[in-house]
C-alpha cells in the first residue's frame, strides 16, 4: 500500500512548539491512516476506505475553520514578546514587512541558520513521508506497524522538544545546544540507516524513536535561536522564513530520496539524507552566537537597576 495518506497529513504542517495540538495531530496522522485504509487488492474497496478518511479529514477541518472564525481574535490583548511590543509601539506606516525580510537576509548568521534548519527539517519531512514505503520494503504486510513507528517518532520527538526547550531556558546555551542536537540527529540517522534492514522490527522502533527525539527536538531550538539572532525583528517573520526553507528542502529531499530508493535501495536513500545532515552540522558550527535578545534583556535589567538605585539614593 502507498504511503500517500501519511504524506498528505504530514507534509503540509509547519513546525511548532512541543506538546502542541499540532504535534498530537501529526501523531494521529501516522497512526490512523493505516488503520482506516487497509492494504487490499480490490481498488473499489481501497477507494472507499480512502474516501472515508478524506471525508473525516474534511469534517475536522471544517469544524476547525468555524472555530477559528468564531473564537480567534485579531491580536492578543498584550504583546506576546518584547520584539512585538517594539513593533506595536511604532506607527504602522514605519513598519515594512518587505524591509524586515531584507534585513534578515542580510544577517549572515540567520541565513546560515535558515539553511541548516531547512536541511535538518527537510530531512525529517522526507524521512516521515517515505517512512511507510521504507518499512514495507523490509517488513512486508506491516502497514499498521509502519504507522506506529511514525507515531513513535512524533511522541519521542515531543519529549525531545520539551527537554531541549527546558535545557535552553535554563542554560541559554543556544548555539551549543543546537549544535549538539544537530550532531545527535546525524548520528541517529546513521544508526537508523544501518539497522533498518536487520529484520527485527523492534530495532526499527528504537532507532526511529531515538532519531525522532533529536530531529524533532531540534525544531523549537531553531525557532528560539532565530529569535535571538534577529532581535528586534518580528519572530513571525524569522519563523516564516525558517518554514519556507524547511518546505523547499523537504520537497527537494522527498523527491530525490524517492528516486534514489527506486534505483539504489533504501540504504542509499537514507545515506543521501545523512550527507546533508553532516553538511548542516558543519554549517551550524560556523554560526556565531550573537544573542541580541539576551543582550537587550541584560541592558534593560541594568537600566532598571540603575533607576531603582537612583530613586533609593534620592529618597535617602
Amino acid at each position: 500500500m502507498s504511503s500517500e495518506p501519511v504524506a498528505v497529513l504530514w507534509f503540509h504542517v509547519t513546525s511548532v512548539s512541543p506538546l502542541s495540538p499540532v504535534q498530537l495531530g501529526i501523531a494521529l496522522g501516522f497512526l490512523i491512516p493505516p488503520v482506516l485504509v487497509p492494504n487490499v487488492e480490490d481498488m473499489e474497496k481501497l477507494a472507499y476506505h480512502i474516501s472515508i478518511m478524506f471525508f473525516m479529514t474534511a469534517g475536522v477541518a471544517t469544524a476547525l475553520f468555524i472555530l477559528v472564525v468564531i473564537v480567534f481574535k485579531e491580536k492578543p490583548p498584550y504583546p506576546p514578546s518584547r520584539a512585538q511590543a517594539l513593533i506595536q509601539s511604532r506607527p504602522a506606516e514605519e513598519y515594512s514587512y518587505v524591509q524586515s525580510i531584507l534585513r534578515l537576509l542580510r544577517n549572515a548568521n540567520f541565513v546560515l541558520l535558515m539553511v541548516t534548519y531547512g536541511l535538518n527539517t527537510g530531512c525529517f519531512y522526507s524521512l516521515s513521508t517515505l517512512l511507510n514505503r521504507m518499512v514495507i520494503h523490509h517488513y512486508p504486510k506491516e502497514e499498521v506497524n509502519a504507522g506506529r513507528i511514525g507515531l513513535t517518532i512524533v511522541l519521542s520527538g515531543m519529549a525531545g522538544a520539551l527537554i531541549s526547550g527546558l535545557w535552553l531556558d535554563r542554560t541559554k546555551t543556544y548555539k551549543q545546544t543546537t549544535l549538539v542536537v544537530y550532531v545527535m540527529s546525524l548520528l541517529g540517522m546513521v544508526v537508523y540507516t544501518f539497522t533498518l534492514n536487520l529484520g527485527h522490527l523492534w530495532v526499527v522502533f528504537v532507532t526511529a524513536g531515538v532519531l525522532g527525539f533529536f530531529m524533532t527536538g531540534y525544531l523549537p531550538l531553531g525557532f528560539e535561536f532565530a529569535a535571538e539572532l534577529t532581535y528586534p525583528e518580528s519572530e513571525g517573520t524569522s519563523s516564516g522564513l525558517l518554514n519556507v526553507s524547511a518546505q523547499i528542502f523537504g520537497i527537494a529531499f522527498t523527491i530525490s530520496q524517492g528516486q534514489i530508493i527506486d534505483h539504489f535501495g533504501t540504504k542509499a536513500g537514507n545515506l543521501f539524507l545523512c550527507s546533508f545532515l553532516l553538511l548542516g552540522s558543519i554549517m551550524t558550527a560556523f554560526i556565531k552566537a550573537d544573542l541580541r535578545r539576551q543582550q537587550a534583556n541584560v541592558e534593560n535589567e541594568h537600566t532598571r537597576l540603575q533607576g531603582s538605585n537612583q530613586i533609593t539614593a534620592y529618597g535617602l
Side-chain angles (χ1 to χ4, degrees), residues 96-172:
S96 170
Y97 181 71
V98 174
Q99 289 300 318
S100 178
I101 291 177
L102 293 177
R103 286 192 294 269
L104 291 179
L105 295 179
R106 288 193 292 266
N107 184 331
N109 290 317
F110 174 72
V111 171
L112 273 175
L113 178 64
M114 185 172 65
V115 174
T116 56
Y117 182 91
L119 291 172
N120 189 302
T121 311
C123 288
F124 188 37
Y125 286 171
S126 180
L127 174 71
S128 302
T129 303
L130 299 173
L131 178 66
N132 193 313
R133 180 175 169 184
M134 289 188 286
V135 171
I136 298 304
H137 177 78
H138 294 288
Y139 305 91
K141 307 296 183 182
E142 292 289 353
E143 292 86 1
V144 174
N145 274 324
R148 290 170 180 166
I149 292 171
L151 176 66
T152 302
I153 290 175
V154 175
L155 293 180
S156 64
M158 291 168 65
L162 178 62
I163 292 172
S164 62
L166 292 173
W167 172 260
L168 200 63
D169 186 60
R170 177 181 293 272
T171 64
K172 309 300 182 185

Side-chain angles (χ1 to χ4, degrees), residues 113 222-231 233 235 238 293:
L113 178 64
F223 285 120
E224 286 297 312
F225 199 10
E228 289 291 334
L229 296 175
T230 61
Y231 181 86
E233 301 295 340
E235 298 93 337
S238 60
R293 186 174 60 178

